[in-house]
């Protein structure tokens, strides 16, 4: 019998690539209660609104208020600043439960977390005291503005500039595709403060407040899915921002943005898992009720095969997501890989599961009398934002092979 290697050697995979630090997860009583409570809230109060939110493509302020009233928007914020102090898994459980009913509504919590993460990661105590209590209570909303027309996947190519003038910074430029940018009270804006050849030391992060002269949202996009989540262009016409609104140090912006995405991508994976679960349940219900050839279509093995694959894909994505949350929360040095992997797998699962759900419903899947066509349109965005699936693969491959940042 060949010897079993017990000592790591240079050509063996690292612990990270073999399943992480060994940190396991099991949902705690509190997490289970949270998941069930949010699911009930979503079933009773959000699901009945989902089709209308999609049809009218307007931001659902009533759902925002509902999530605020039930402290769901407080989950990402520390208790000392008025938040609930939920960990990453708790936030993702809530996003998943809401997205199962309505992906637009799940994104309200995901974006509140995304926008606040630069402050959570690099904000001063003063900044947290100043902004977190209102954000945690859902009295205010915050957005995250990195993307520009010429800076999508290549985030370091940002052209919006911030120039120091006395005690202030003057911001000039335009951001594109900013979720909830037009309805937010605060926006974490990434602007160039150095020179282009500094690349990853070129950006800084600022909090721009609604009402600051020169800051406006000239347009909102017309979209395929998540139609109630407004996607805004933001214009900064010499916006004067006080120095105390700089988040972290000058030049730290790119690093803050990347650390933010490492923690926020699981939220998009959670949205994807929620969408897939919603579609699976709708298709299963339909397969029980719809009769063709004198019996329920669920009795046909080809339909059963599709449902089984949908269930396995959804559950597989969910387990990877929960594991990734646990690894990231435990401070894994491989956080970027876990975060990218769970979004990659969950986004692809959501796309496939929702497409198959439409197939299970046949022609009825294609019309808006049933929710699966909306879910299929909503699923697509999870393969695109917070880094496309191609970018997630690059992140995972870089973790395996090494390479430039
Ligand atoms: C609805 C919506 C909401 C959004 N919300 C926000 C938000 O709140 N804040 C924010 O800052 N941004 C937001 N975005 C922007 C989003 O993150 C970007 O659209 C995304 O990162 C891709 O950038 P891009 O659209 O410019 O595509 P591009 O970068 O132009 O990519 C085009 C294609 O090329 C591929 N590609 C690019 N580079 C590589 C490479 N190196 N290797 C292989 N393939 C590559 C991509 O995968 C893609 O298939 C949002 C976008 C949408 C559509």
């Amino acid at each position: 019998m060949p010897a079993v290697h017990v000592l790591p050697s240079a050509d063996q995979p690292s612990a990270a690539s073999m399943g992480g630090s060994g940190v396991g997860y099991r949902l705690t009583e509190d997490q289970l209660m949270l998941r069930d409570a949010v699911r009930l809230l979503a079933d009773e109060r959000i699901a009945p609104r989902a089709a209308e939110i999609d049809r009218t493509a307007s931001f659902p302020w009533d759902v925002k208020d509902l999530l605020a009233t039930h402290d769901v928007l407080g989950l990402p914020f520390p208790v000392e600043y008025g938040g609930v102090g939920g960990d990453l898994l708790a936030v993702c459980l809530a996003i998943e439960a809401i997205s199962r009913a309505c992906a637009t509504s799940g994104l309200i919590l995901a974006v509140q977390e995304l926008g606040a993460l630069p402050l959570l990661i690099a904000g001063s105590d003063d900044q947290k005291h100043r902004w977190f209590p209102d954000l945690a209570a859902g009295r205010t909303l915050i957005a995250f503005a990195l993307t520009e027309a010429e800076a999508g996947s290549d985030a370091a190519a940002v052209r919006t500039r911030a120039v120091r003038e006395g005690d202030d910074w003057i911001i000039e430029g335009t951001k594109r595709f900013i979720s909830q940018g037009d309805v937010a009270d605060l926006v974490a804006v990434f602007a160039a403060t150095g020179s282009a050849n500094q690349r990853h030391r070129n950006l800084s992060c600022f909090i721009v407040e609604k009402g600051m002269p020169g800051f406006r949202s000239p347009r909102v996009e017309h979209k395929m899915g998540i139609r109630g989540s407004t996607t805004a262009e933001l214009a900064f016409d010499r916006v004067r921002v006080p120095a105390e609104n700089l988040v972290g140090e000058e030049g730290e912006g790119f690093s803050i943005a990347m650390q933010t995405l490492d923690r926020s991508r699981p939220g998009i994976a959670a949205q994807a898992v929620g969408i897939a679960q919603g579609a699976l349940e709708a298709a299963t219900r339909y397969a029980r009720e719809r009769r063709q050839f004198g019996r329920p279509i669920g009795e046909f093995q080809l339909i059963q095969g599709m449902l089984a694959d949908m269930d396995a894909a959804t559950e597989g994505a969910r387990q990877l997501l929960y594991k990734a949350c646990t690894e990231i929360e435990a401070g894994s040095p491989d956080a970027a890989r876990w975060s990218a992997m769970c979004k990659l797998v969950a986004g692809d699962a959501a796309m496939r599961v929702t497409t198959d759900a439409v197939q299970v419903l046949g022609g009825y899947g294609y019309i808006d009398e049933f929710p699966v066509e909306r879910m299929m349109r909503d699923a697509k965005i999870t393969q695109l934002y917070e880094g496309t699936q191609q970018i997630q693969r690059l992140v995972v491959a870089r973790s395996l092979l090494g390479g430039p940042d």
Side-chain angles (χ1 to χ4, degrees):
M1 193 177 145
V4 177
H5 289 283
V6 288
L7 293 174
S9 69
D11 58 355
Q12 278 184 320
S14 65
S17 64
M18 290 185 66
S21 59
V23 184
Y25 72 84
R26 191 179 170 78
L27 297 189
T28 62
E29 277 301 310
D30 283 352
Q31 286 166 338
L32 288 169
M33 275 167 53
L34 169 78
R35 183 197 63 187
D36 294 346
V38 178
R39 187 183 289 181
L40 190 64
L41 189 69
D43 276 347
E44 290 182 350
R45 307 282 300 276
I46 299 175
R49 283 273 287 121
E52 190 189 11
I53 291 170
D54 176 62
R55 189 169 39 78
T56 57
S58 51
F59 184 75
W61 288 102
D62 57 328
V63 175
K64 190 280 282 180
D65 289 343
L66 182 75
L67 297 177
T69 307
H70 288 80
D71 279 343
V72 177
L73 290 182
L75 278 168
F77 298 93
V79 173
E80 69 252 50
Y81 302 109
V84 173
D87 61 8
L88 184 56
L89 182 50
V91 173
C92 286
L93 287 168
I95 295 171
E96 178 191 339
I98 303 166
S99 302
R100 173 176 158 270
C102 172
T104 284
S105 299
L107 197 58
I108 298 175
L109 172 57
V111 172
Q112 190 77 336
E113 189 206 21
L114 170 69
L117 271 167
L119 286 165
L120 282 161
I121 290 164
S124 66
D125 207 35
D126 280 353
Q127 290 174 330
K128 292 175 186 168
H129 273 295
R130 187 168 155 207
W131 288 310
F132 279 0
D134 281 344
L135 289 168
R139 284 187 291 273
T140 54
L141 293 175
I142 185 164
F144 175 91
L146 178 61
T147 302
E148 298 179 4
E150 304 301 327
S153 301
D154 184 6
V158 159
R159 288 184 185 171
T160 294
R161 281 209 72 80
V163 176
R164 185 89 195 217
E165 212 179 84
D167 284 342
D168 300 329
W169 289 87
I170 308 296
I171 301 183
E172 177 92 45
T174 307
K175 294 287 176 183
R176 189 109 202 249
F177 292 161
I178 307 308
S179 296
Q180 295 166 204
D182 59 327
V183 296
D185 302 274
L186 305 172
V187 184
V189 177
F190 293 83
T193 48
S195 63
N197 58 12
Q198 288 178 289
R199 210 163 150 80
H200 294 167
R201 293 288 306 165
N202 183 19
L203 300 188
S204 301
C205 177
F206 301 88
I207 300 297
V208 173
E209 300 169 57
K210 192 179 197 168
M212 284 181 160
F215 172 43
R216 66 199 172 89
S217 172
R219 73 176 211 169
V220 168
E221 309 294 343
H222 179 78
K223 301 196 300 295
M224 172 194 284
I226 54 160
R227 286 166 49 78
S229 175
T230 47
T231 307
E233 186 174 303
L234 300 180
F236 304 87
D237 183 10
R238 289 190 51 78
V239 179
R240 183 174 290 273
V241 176
E244 60 260 29
N245 284 27
L246 172 69
V247 183
E249 301 291 323
E250 183 182 341
E252 267 185 5
F254 188 79
S255 163
I256 293 171
M258 293 305 112
Q259 290 177 63
T260 294
L261 293 172
D262 285 350
R263 260 192 100 82
S264 65
R265 282 175 179 153
I268 300 308
Q271 184 189 34
V273 170
I275 296 169
Q277 183 65 36
L280 170 66
E281 289 175 25
T284 306
R285 265 194 313 274
Y286 191 84
R288 282 205 192 96
E289 287 159 14
R290 172 71 171 171
R291 297 177 72 86
Q292 287 293 279
F293 299 97
R295 46 189 171 140
I297 60 166
E299 288 185 12
F300 300 127
Q301 286 189 349
L302 291 173
I303 295 289
Q304 291 174 4
M306 255 193 292
L307 291 174
D309 285 349
M310 290 159 69
D311 191 17
T314 306
E315 194 59 45
R318 177 181 292 118
Q319 297 305 318
L320 179 55
L321 164 65
Y322 293 0
K323 170 73 175 166
C325 288
T326 310
E327 288 286 339
I328 294 165
E329 198 64 60
S332 167
D334 229 8
R337 168 177 165 269
W338 284 107
S339 159
M341 280 199 307
C342 72
K343 180 181 172 301
L344 175 63
V345 169
D348 285 356
M351 200 64 245
R352 177 177 154 200
V353 168
T354 54
T355 306
D356 281 355
V358 170
Q359 196 68 24
V360 169
L361 269 73
Y364 293 89
Y366 201 70
I367 63 172
D368 65 5
E369 195 179 323
F370 290 90
V372 290
E373 60 84 30
R374 164 172 53 84
M375 292 167 171
M376 182 177 158
R377 289 185 283 105
D378 286 345
K380 185 61 205 174
I381 193 62
T382 68
Q383 296 182 307
L384 297 171
Y385 59 12
E386 297 203 20
T388 63
Q389 300 299 70
Q390 285 72 31
I391 296 303
Q392 308 312 317
R393 288 186 173 92
L394 293 185
V395 173
V396 176
R398 189 185 306 136
S399 161
L400 292 172
L401 301 166
D405 291 337

